[in-house]
Coordinates of all heavy atoms in Angstrom, one line a residue:
D1 N 59.4 -54.2 -115.2 CA 58.5 -55.2 -115.7 C 58.8 -56.5 -115.3 O 59.0 -57.4 -116.1 CB 58.5 -55.0 -117.2 CG 57.3 -55.6 -117.9 OD1 56.3 -56.1 -117.2 OD2 57.2 -55.7 -119.1
F2 N 58.8 -56.7 -114.0 CA 59.3 -58.1 -113.5 C 58.3 -59.2 -113.6 O 58.6 -60.4 -113.8 CB 59.6 -58.0 -112.0 CG 60.5 -56.9 -111.7 CD1 60.2 -55.7 -110.9 CD2 61.9 -56.9 -112.1 CE1 61.0 -54.8 -110.6 CE2 62.8 -56.0 -111.8 CZ 62.3 -54.9 -111.1
A3 N 57.0 -58.9 -113.6 CA 56.0 -59.9 -113.6 C 55.5 -60.4 -115.1 O 54.7 -61.3 -115.2 CB 54.7 -59.4 -112.9
G4 N 56.1 -59.8 -116.1 CA 55.7 -60.2 -117.4 C 54.5 -59.7 -117.9 O 53.6 -60.6 -118.4
G5 N 54.2 -58.5 -118.0 CA 52.9 -57.9 -118.6 C 53.2 -56.7 -119.4 O 54.4 -56.5 -119.7
N6 N 52.3 -55.9 -119.8 CA 52.4 -54.7 -120.5 C 52.5 -53.5 -119.6 O 52.6 -52.3 -120.0 CB 51.3 -54.5 -121.5 CG 51.4 -55.6 -122.7 OD1 52.5 -55.9 -123.0 ND2 50.2 -56.0 -123.1
Q7 N 52.5 -53.7 -118.3 CA 52.6 -52.7 -117.3 C 53.7 -52.8 -116.4 O 54.2 -54.0 -116.1 CB 51.3 -52.5 -116.5 CG 50.1 -52.2 -117.3 CD 48.8 -52.1 -116.5 OE1 48.9 -51.9 -115.2 NE2 47.7 -52.2 -117.1
F8 N 54.3 -51.7 -115.8 CA 55.3 -51.9 -114.8 C 54.8 -52.3 -113.5 O 53.7 -52.1 -113.2 CB 56.1 -50.5 -114.7 CG 57.3 -50.4 -115.6 CD1 57.3 -50.9 -116.9 CD2 58.5 -49.9 -115.0 CE1 58.3 -50.7 -117.7 CE2 59.6 -49.7 -115.8 CZ 59.6 -50.2 -117.2
D9 N 55.7 -53.0 -112.8 CA 55.4 -53.5 -111.4 C 56.2 -52.6 -110.4 O 57.2 -52.0 -110.8 CB 55.8 -54.9 -111.3 CG 55.3 -55.7 -112.6 OD1 54.2 -55.6 -112.9 OD2 56.2 -56.4 -113.1
L10 N 55.8 -52.6 -109.2 CA 56.5 -52.0 -108.1 C 57.2 -53.0 -107.2 O 56.6 -53.8 -106.6 CB 55.7 -51.1 -107.3 CG 56.3 -50.2 -106.2 CD1 57.1 -49.1 -106.8 CD2 55.2 -49.5 -105.3
L11 N 58.6 -52.8 -107.0 CA 59.3 -53.6 -106.1 C 59.6 -52.8 -104.8 O 60.1 -51.6 -104.9 CB 60.6 -54.0 -106.7 CG 61.4 -55.1 -106.0 CD1 60.6 -56.5 -106.0 CD2 62.7 -55.4 -106.6
V12 N 59.2 -53.4 -103.7 CA 59.4 -52.6 -102.3 C 60.3 -53.3 -101.4 O 60.0 -54.5 -101.2 CB 58.0 -52.3 -101.8 CG1 58.1 -51.6 -100.4 CG2 57.1 -51.5 -102.7
R13 N 61.3 -52.7 -100.9 CA 62.1 -53.3 -99.8 C 61.6 -52.6 -98.5 O 61.7 -51.3 -98.4 CB 63.5 -53.1 -100.0 CG 64.4 -54.0 -99.1 CD 64.6 -53.5 -97.7 NE 65.7 -52.4 -97.7 CZ 65.9 -51.7 -96.6 NH1 65.2 -51.8 -95.5 NH2 66.9 -50.8 -96.7
W14 N 61.0 -53.3 -97.6 CA 60.5 -52.7 -96.3 C 61.5 -52.6 -95.2 O 62.6 -53.3 -95.3 CB 59.3 -53.6 -95.9 CG 58.1 -53.8 -96.8 CD1 58.1 -54.6 -97.9 CD2 57.0 -52.9 -96.9 NE1 56.9 -54.4 -98.6 CE2 56.1 -53.4 -98.0 CE3 56.5 -51.9 -96.1 CZ2 54.9 -52.9 -98.3 CZ3 55.2 -51.4 -96.4 CH2 54.4 -51.8 -97.5
S15 N 61.2 -51.9 -94.3 CA 62.2 -51.6 -93.2 C 62.5 -52.9 -92.4 O 63.5 -52.9 -91.7 CB 61.6 -50.5 -92.2 OG 60.4 -51.0 -91.6
D16 N 61.6 -53.9 -92.5 CA 61.9 -55.2 -91.7 C 62.6 -56.1 -92.5 O 62.8 -57.3 -92.1 CB 60.6 -55.8 -91.0 CG 59.6 -56.2 -92.2 OD1 60.0 -56.0 -93.4 OD2 58.5 -56.5 -91.7
G17 N 63.1 -55.8 -93.7 CA 63.9 -56.8 -94.5 C 63.0 -57.5 -95.6 O 63.5 -58.2 -96.4
E18 N 61.6 -57.5 -95.5 CA 60.8 -58.1 -96.4 C 60.8 -57.4 -97.7 O 61.0 -56.2 -97.8 CB 59.4 -58.2 -95.9 CG 58.5 -58.9 -97.0 CD 57.0 -59.1 -96.4 OE1 56.8 -59.0 -95.2 OE2 56.2 -59.4 -97.3
V19 N 60.8 -58.1 -98.9 CA 60.8 -57.5 -100.2 C 59.5 -58.0 -100.9 O 59.2 -59.3 -100.9 CB 62.0 -57.9 -101.1 CG1 61.9 -57.2 -102.5 CG2 63.3 -57.4 -100.4
T20 N 58.7 -57.2 -101.5 CA 57.4 -57.5 -102.0 C 57.4 -56.9 -103.5 O 57.8 -55.8 -103.7 CB 56.2 -56.9 -101.3 OG1 56.4 -57.2 -99.9 CG2 54.9 -57.5 -101.7
L21 N 56.9 -57.7 -104.3 CA 56.6 -57.3 -105.7 C 55.0 -57.1 -105.9 O 54.2 -58.0 -105.7 CB 57.0 -58.3 -106.7 CG 56.9 -58.1 -108.2 CD1 57.7 -56.9 -108.7 CD2 57.3 -59.2 -109.0
Y22 N 54.7 -55.9 -106.4 CA 53.3 -55.5 -106.7 C 53.2 -55.4 -108.2 O 53.6 -54.5 -108.8 CB 52.9 -54.3 -106.0 CG 52.9 -54.4 -104.5 CD1 54.1 -54.1 -103.8 CD2 51.8 -54.8 -103.8 CE1 54.0 -54.2 -102.4 CE2 51.8 -54.9 -102.4 CZ 52.9 -54.6 -101.6 OH 52.9 -54.7 -100.4
P23 N 52.5 -56.5 -108.8 CA 52.4 -56.4 -110.3 C 51.4 -55.6 -110.8 O 50.3 -55.2 -110.1 CB 52.0 -58.0 -110.6 CG 51.3 -58.4 -109.4 CD 51.8 -57.7 -108.3
D24 N 51.6 -55.0 -112.0 CA 50.6 -54.2 -112.7 C 49.9 -53.2 -111.9 O 48.7 -53.2 -111.7 CB 49.5 -55.2 -113.4 CG 50.2 -56.2 -114.4 OD1 51.3 -55.8 -114.9 OD2 49.5 -57.1 -114.7
V25 N 50.7 -52.3 -111.4 CA 50.2 -51.4 -110.3 C 49.1 -50.5 -110.9 O 48.1 -50.1 -110.3 CB 51.3 -50.5 -109.8 CG1 50.8 -49.3 -109.0 CG2 52.3 -51.4 -108.9
G26 N 49.3 -50.1 -112.2 CA 48.3 -49.2 -112.9 C 46.9 -49.8 -112.9 O 45.9 -49.0 -112.9
T27 N 46.8 -51.1 -113.0 CA 45.5 -51.8 -113.1 C 45.0 -52.4 -111.7 O 44.0 -52.1 -111.2 CB 45.5 -52.9 -114.1 OG1 45.8 -52.4 -115.4 CG2 44.2 -53.7 -114.2
L28 N 46.0 -53.1 -111.0 CA 45.6 -53.7 -109.8 C 45.8 -52.9 -108.6 O 45.2 -53.3 -107.5 CB 46.5 -55.0 -109.7 CG 46.4 -56.1 -110.8 CD1 47.4 -57.2 -110.5 CD2 45.0 -56.6 -110.9
G29 N 46.5 -51.7 -108.6 CA 46.6 -50.9 -107.5 C 47.7 -51.5 -106.5 O 48.4 -52.4 -106.8
L30 N 47.6 -51.2 -105.3 CA 48.5 -51.5 -104.3 C 47.8 -52.2 -103.1 O 48.4 -52.7 -102.1 CB 49.3 -50.5 -103.7 CG 50.4 -49.9 -104.7 CD1 51.1 -48.7 -104.1 CD2 51.5 -51.1 -104.9
N31 N 46.4 -52.3 -103.1 CA 45.6 -52.9 -102.0 C 45.5 -54.4 -102.2 O 44.5 -54.9 -102.3 CB 44.3 -52.2 -102.0 CG 43.6 -52.4 -100.6 OD1 44.2 -52.9 -99.7 ND2 42.4 -52.0 -100.5
N32 N 46.7 -55.1 -102.3 CA 46.7 -56.4 -102.4 C 48.0 -57.0 -101.8 O 48.9 -56.2 -101.4 CB 46.7 -56.9 -103.9 CG 47.9 -56.4 -104.6 OD1 49.0 -57.0 -104.6 ND2 47.7 -55.3 -105.3
D33 N 48.2 -58.3 -101.6 CA 49.3 -58.8 -100.8 C 50.6 -58.9 -101.6 O 51.6 -58.9 -101.1 CB 49.0 -60.3 -100.5 CG 47.8 -60.5 -99.5 OD1 47.4 -59.4 -98.9 OD2 47.2 -61.5 -99.3
G34 N 50.5 -58.8 -103.0 CA 51.7 -58.9 -103.7 C 52.3 -60.2 -103.8 O 51.8 -61.1 -103.2
T35 N 53.5 -60.3 -104.3 CA 54.3 -61.5 -104.3 C 55.5 -61.2 -103.3 O 56.3 -60.3 -103.5 CB 54.9 -61.9 -105.6 OG1 53.8 -62.1 -106.4 CG2 55.7 -63.1 -105.6
Q36 N 55.7 -62.2 -102.4 CA 56.8 -61.9 -101.4 C 58.1 -62.5 -102.1 O 58.2 -63.7 -102.5 CB 56.6 -62.7 -100.2 CG 57.6 -62.5 -99.1 CD 57.4 -63.3 -97.8 OE1 57.7 -64.5 -97.8 NE2 56.9 -62.7 -96.8
M37 N 59.0 -61.6 -102.2 CA 60.3 -62.0 -102.8 C 61.4 -62.3 -101.7 O 62.3 -63.2 -102.0 CB 60.9 -60.8 -103.6 CG 60.0 -60.3 -104.8 SD 59.9 -61.4 -106.2 CE 61.5 -61.1 -106.8
A38 N 61.3 -61.8 -100.6 CA 62.1 -62.1 -99.4 C 61.4 -62.0 -98.2 O 60.5 -61.0 -98.1 CB 63.4 -61.4 -99.5
P39 N 61.6 -62.9 -97.2 CA 60.7 -62.7 -95.9 C 61.2 -61.6 -95.0 O 62.4 -61.1 -95.1 CB 60.9 -64.1 -95.3 CG 62.2 -64.5 -95.8 CD 62.4 -64.0 -97.2
K40 N 60.4 -61.3 -94.1 CA 60.7 -60.4 -93.0 C 62.0 -61.0 -92.3 O 62.1 -62.1 -92.0 CB 59.6 -60.3 -92.0 CG 59.9 -59.6 -90.7 CD 58.7 -59.6 -89.9 CE 59.0 -58.8 -88.5 NZ 57.8 -58.8 -87.6
G41 N 62.9 -60.1 -92.0 CA 64.1 -60.4 -91.3 C 65.3 -61.0 -92.3 O 66.3 -61.4 -91.7
S42 N 65.0 -60.9 -93.6 CA 66.0 -61.5 -94.4 C 67.1 -60.5 -94.5 O 67.2 -59.3 -94.0 CB 65.4 -61.6 -95.8 OG 65.3 -60.4 -96.4
V43 N 68.3 -60.9 -95.3 CA 69.5 -60.1 -95.5 C 69.1 -58.8 -96.3 O 69.9 -57.9 -96.3 CB 70.5 -60.8 -96.1 CG1 71.0 -61.9 -95.3 CG2 70.1 -61.4 -97.5
W44 N 67.9 -58.8 -96.9 CA 67.5 -57.6 -97.8 C 67.3 -56.4 -96.9 O 67.2 -55.3 -97.5 CB 66.3 -58.0 -98.6 CG 66.8 -58.7 -99.8 CD1 67.1 -60.1 -99.8 CD2 67.0 -58.3 -101.1 NE1 67.4 -60.5 -101.1 CE2 67.5 -59.3 -101.9 CE3 66.9 -57.0 -101.7 CZ2 67.8 -59.2 -103.2 CZ3 67.3 -56.9 -103.1 CH2 67.7 -58.0 -103.7
K45 N 67.4 -56.5 -95.6 CA 67.3 -55.3 -94.8 C 68.5 -54.5 -95.0 O 68.6 -53.2 -94.7 CB 67.1 -55.7 -93.3 CG 68.3 -56.4 -92.7 CD 68.0 -56.7 -91.2 CE 69.3 -57.4 -90.6 NZ 69.6 -58.7 -91.2
D46 N 69.6 -55.1 -95.5 CA 70.9 -54.3 -95.8 C 70.9 -53.8 -97.2 O 72.0 -53.2 -97.5 CB 72.0 -55.3 -95.5 CG 72.2 -55.8 -94.1 OD1 71.7 -55.1 -93.2 OD2 72.7 -56.8 -93.8
A47 N 69.9 -54.0 -98.0 CA 69.9 -53.4 -99.4 C 69.5 -51.9 -99.2 O 68.2 -51.6 -99.0 CB 68.9 -54.2 -100.2
V48 N 70.4 -51.1 -99.4 CA 70.2 -49.6 -99.1 C 69.5 -49.0 -100.3 O 68.5 -48.1 -100.1 CB 71.6 -48.9 -98.9 CG1 71.2 -47.4 -98.5 CG2 72.3 -49.6 -97.8

């Protein structure tokens, strides 16, 4: 519940190192840009 609502959000670490937060998945779905937490090429590519 990272975005502060009554629904859970999905946090995704992509293969290129970007990390994206998708808020309120149950209502908003995943067909949106989400919130970028870390950019492509960041050290988060090492987050296993």
Side-chain angles (χ1 to χ4, degrees):
D1 195 9
F2 305 112
N6 292 322
Q7 297 181 18
F8 266 45
D9 318 309
L10 183 69
L11 191 66
V12 179
R13 197 276 282 172
W14 300 84
S15 59
D16 61 3
E18 181 174 345
V19 180
T20 310
L21 178 65
Y22 294 91
D24 296 343
V25 171
T27 299
L28 301 178
L30 290 169
N31 198 7
N32 62 81
D33 294 345
T35 299
Q36 187 181 78
M37 302 286 290
K40 174 181 176 180
S42 76
V43 294
W44 281 79
K45 67 180 181 297
D46 297 333
V48 184

